[in-house]
Amino acid sequence: MKKLLLFVLGISFCFFLVTISFEYFLRAIPNDFKTKQYHLRKNKENIEVLILGSSHTFVGVDPKYFEKPAFNLAYSSQTLDLDEKLFNRYKNQLTQLKTVIIPVSYFSYVLALEDGTSAHKIKNYNIYYQLYSHTFKIENQLEIAHQSFDKNLADLELFKSNPDFKITIDSTGYINKRYIKSNLDWQESAIHAVNNHSKNMDDNLTKLRMNQNQKSLENIISWCEENQIKVILVSSPTTDAYVKKLNAKQFNYWRMTTHAISKKYQNVIWLNFLENNELFTLDDFQNADHLNENGAEKMSIILNQYL
């Protein structure tokens, strides 16, 4: 019996060591989260403009077109509660910060990351920023538990030949590798995006998210106001196909809430390109609600005028 127990303990210990080693090597693979963290810390004493938010700013606001040193801390599907947590992590380190840019999109108030189709991305905030979401799942705490064993092995093999295969950003945090769908059906793209971005406004979880996200946004703004930092709220332009399919109740809530916040705080200006997208054409978009490189250049040059 004692020998059996020792055997089981030995096997368990070996399994534990292999698992820990596997997790260590998976986390050693460079990715956007680790890379952004490195560049932000490296340049924290020079950054005057911080860009937060979701994919609308991640792909739509390029710091290289700003006259002032800027950094893009946005990620695809990043929600306002995560904006607040990231901002709180770094705000006191950014000693030269003058302006914060925050996207306020049609979906900004009603979503938390774990509520949508991108819930798997929570893992990156948990592991690489130690920022935790509203719900706990073991697969979001470990790289090894996040995808299949075969896929993890494939990632390690690819890492040998291409160490930067997971990095899509430059030193300013802005995306420099885009995956653009050819022969895009604009109507289909709009339907898909609106379905992902719309919520039942009478649902209790949606109401909870609305309160949480508005509070997160106002917490950022209040701190900035106390520290003489300007906040630019940006509602990114989208295609007309996207706008025409938006839910009226959610759309009106978005408009009224953002308008009220922009009037409440003296340090805030709101640039509403969602309703005023005349400066942008279909050639500026990579899909129904995201700007392409040309559109991002145009948007960034416009924003630079307000800095």
Side-chain angles (χ1 to χ4, degrees):
M1 186 65 181
K2 185 177 180 181
K3 289 183 178 180
L4 178 61
L5 180 59
L6 289 174
F7 176 76
V8 171
L9 288 175
I11 292 296
S12 299
F13 182 70
C14 290
F15 178 78
F16 176 77
L17 285 180
V18 170
T19 301
I20 292 298
S21 299
F22 203 13
E23 178 71 17
Y24 172 82
F25 287 117
L26 288 172
R27 293 191 184 197
I29 298 175
N31 58 44
D32 285 350
F33 283 75
K34 294 169 67 175
T35 304
K36 277 203 183 192
Q37 194 166 184
Y38 167 76
H39 286 298
L40 179 60
R41 288 173 173 171
K42 181 180 178 181
N43 298 290
K44 63 185 179 182
E45 295 179 356
N46 300 316
I47 295 170
E48 295 185 31
V49 182
L50 183 67
I51 303 155
L52 298 172
S54 64
S55 55
H56 282 175
T57 42
F58 182 38
V59 306
V61 181
D62 188 347
K64 74 170 174 278
Y65 295 106
F66 291 171
E67 295 173 16
K68 298 180 179 179
F71 191 83
N72 191 320
L73 193 55
Y75 293 95
S76 178
S77 303
Q78 185 166 288
T79 44
L80 283 169
D81 58 313
L82 291 168
D83 280 337
E84 182 190 11
K85 290 174 182 176
L86 280 173
F87 184 70
N88 288 342
R89 171 68 56 83
Y90 295 110
K91 63 186 181 184
N92 292 315
Q93 301 176 37
L94 304 176
T95 55
Q96 299 302 313
L97 188 63
K98 303 293 189 301
T99 306
V100 178
I101 296 174
I102 310 173
V104 183
S105 303
Y106 163 74
F107 53 83
S108 292
Y109 298 113
V110 300
L111 286 177
L113 179 55
E114 62 259 51
D115 300 335
T117 57
S118 298
H120 60 281
K121 297 177 183 178
I122 292 170
K123 175 263 301 183
N124 296 311
Y125 295 91
N126 292 349
I127 294 176
Y128 300 108
Y129 286 115
Q130 292 76 54
L131 300 177
Y132 300 98
S133 57
H134 302 290
T135 54
F136 178 89
K137 292 182 179 179
I138 188 63
E139 61 265 30
N140 291 326
Q141 318 308 318
L142 298 169
E143 287 283 4
I144 197 171
H146 189 66
Q147 58 186 14
S148 70
F149 180 76
D150 290 344
K151 184 65 170 65
N152 283 328
L153 279 179
D155 281 353
L156 289 174
E157 285 296 321
L158 187 56
F159 172 63
K160 293 179 183 178
S161 59
N162 182 15
D164 295 334
F165 77 98
K166 283 192 173 185
I167 298 178
T168 70
I169 61 171
D170 61 22
S171 61
T172 68
Y174 180 69
I175 190 170
N176 62 6
K177 293 180 183 178
R178 292 174 184 253
Y179 305 98
I180 300 182
K181 185 177 180 180
S182 58
N183 301 318
L184 181 71
D185 184 320
W186 292 98
Q187 292 298 324
E188 181 182 327
S189 175
I191 292 171
H192 176 75
V194 171
N195 286 343
N196 285 338
H197 296 164
S198 298
K199 290 291 181 180
N200 178 1
M201 300 294 284
D202 297 319
D203 180 76
N204 288 333
L205 179 59
T206 301
K207 291 178 180 179
L208 176 64
R209 298 305 189 220
M210 288 155 62
N211 290 331
Q212 290 171 334
N213 284 321
Q214 182 175 344
K215 183 178 179 180
S216 290
L217 178 58
E218 293 201 53
N219 285 343
I220 297 172
I221 293 171
S222 294
W223 188 89
C224 288
E225 186 175 51
E226 292 171 4
N227 291 273
Q228 293 80 52
I229 295 170
K230 178 168 37 176
V231 175
I232 301 178
L233 301 181
V234 180
S235 297
S236 297
T238 66
T239 62
D240 290 337
Y242 177 88
V243 175
K244 290 176 181 177
K245 291 174 173 58
L246 299 180
N247 174 275
K249 188 173 182 179
Q250 183 174 325
F251 181 82
N252 289 333
Y253 177 87
W254 159 81
R255 178 200 284 138
M256 292 174 60
T257 302
T258 310
H259 177 75
I261 290 173
S262 68
K263 294 302 180 183
K264 181 179 178 180
Y265 297 93
Q266 297 298 313
N267 62 325
V268 173
I269 61 172
W270 178 28
L271 303 180
N272 182 3
F273 296 110
L274 179 59
E275 293 187 275
N276 305 284
N277 65 352
E278 298 85 1
L279 295 175
F280 299 85
T281 69
L282 203 60
D283 291 336
D284 294 319
F285 293 92
Q286 67 182 45
N287 56 36
D289 71 308
H290 291 97
L291 295 168
N292 58 24
E293 289 185 69
N294 293 331
E297 178 181 353
K298 186 182 293 186
M299 167 70 89
S300 303
I301 290 173
I302 292 171
L303 287 174
N304 182 59
Q305 298 173 8
Y306 289 88
L307 299 179

